[in-house]
């Protein structure tokens, strides 16, 4: 689906910061940023990605921080009939 369609269906942009340990150097932490359109409060795309990480990738997760923002809410739409400009 296109991004606008997702936003109109209630999806918002979820950004997550994954802090993980390097596979060969367990004392070294690294970060990975992930963004996807997802639905709050269940966050199915985020949890699918976390499951994928734990099953397929070697670097164990240390922590995950995330934020979610709806970019378009139904109450933000309004019909503009005209525009009045100065200068």
């Amino acid at each position: 689906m296109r991004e606008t369609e997702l936003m109109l269906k209630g999806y918002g942009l979820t950004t997550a910061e994954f802090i993980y340990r390097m596979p060969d150097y367990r004392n070294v932490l690294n970060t990975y940023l992930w963004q996807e359109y997802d639905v709050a409060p269940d966050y199915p795309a985020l949890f699918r990605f976390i499951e994928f990480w734990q099953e397929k990738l070697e670097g164990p997760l240390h922590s995950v921080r995330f934020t979610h923002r709806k970019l378009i809410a139904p109450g933000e739409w309004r019909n503009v009939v005209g525009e009045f400009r100065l200068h």
Side-chain angles (χ1 to χ4, degrees):
M1 262 189 253
R2 292 184 13 211
E3 293 175 359
T4 306
E5 293 172 353
L6 289 172
M7 287 186 272
L8 290 173
K9 290 183 177 183
Y11 283 72
L13 187 62
T14 301
T15 304
E17 178 187 32
F18 291 83
I19 300 175
Y20 64 97
R21 297 187 183 279
M22 298 295 290
D24 296 335
Y25 304 98
R26 297 296 172 129
N27 293 331
V28 177
L29 295 175
N30 203 359
T31 61
Y32 177 78
L33 287 177
W34 175 88
Q35 280 189 326
E36 187 69 45
Y37 287 97
D38 210 353
V39 181
D42 296 330
Y43 304 104
L46 175 61
F47 287 111
R48 270 195 311 271
F49 186 75
I50 291 173
E51 288 174 9
F52 166 78
W53 186 295
Q54 291 174 335
E55 292 173 5
K56 305 289 184 186
L57 301 179
E58 293 181 17
L61 288 174
H62 176 270
S63 60
V64 177
R65 293 188 310 172
F66 72 96
T67 184
H68 179 82
R69 170 89 168 122
K70 280 192 173 185
L71 301 175
I72 296 177
E76 294 178 8
W77 286 95
R78 57 187 176 139
N79 186 15
V80 177
V81 179
E83 186 175 321
F84 181 68
R85 290 181 168 223
L86 287 174
H87 303 287

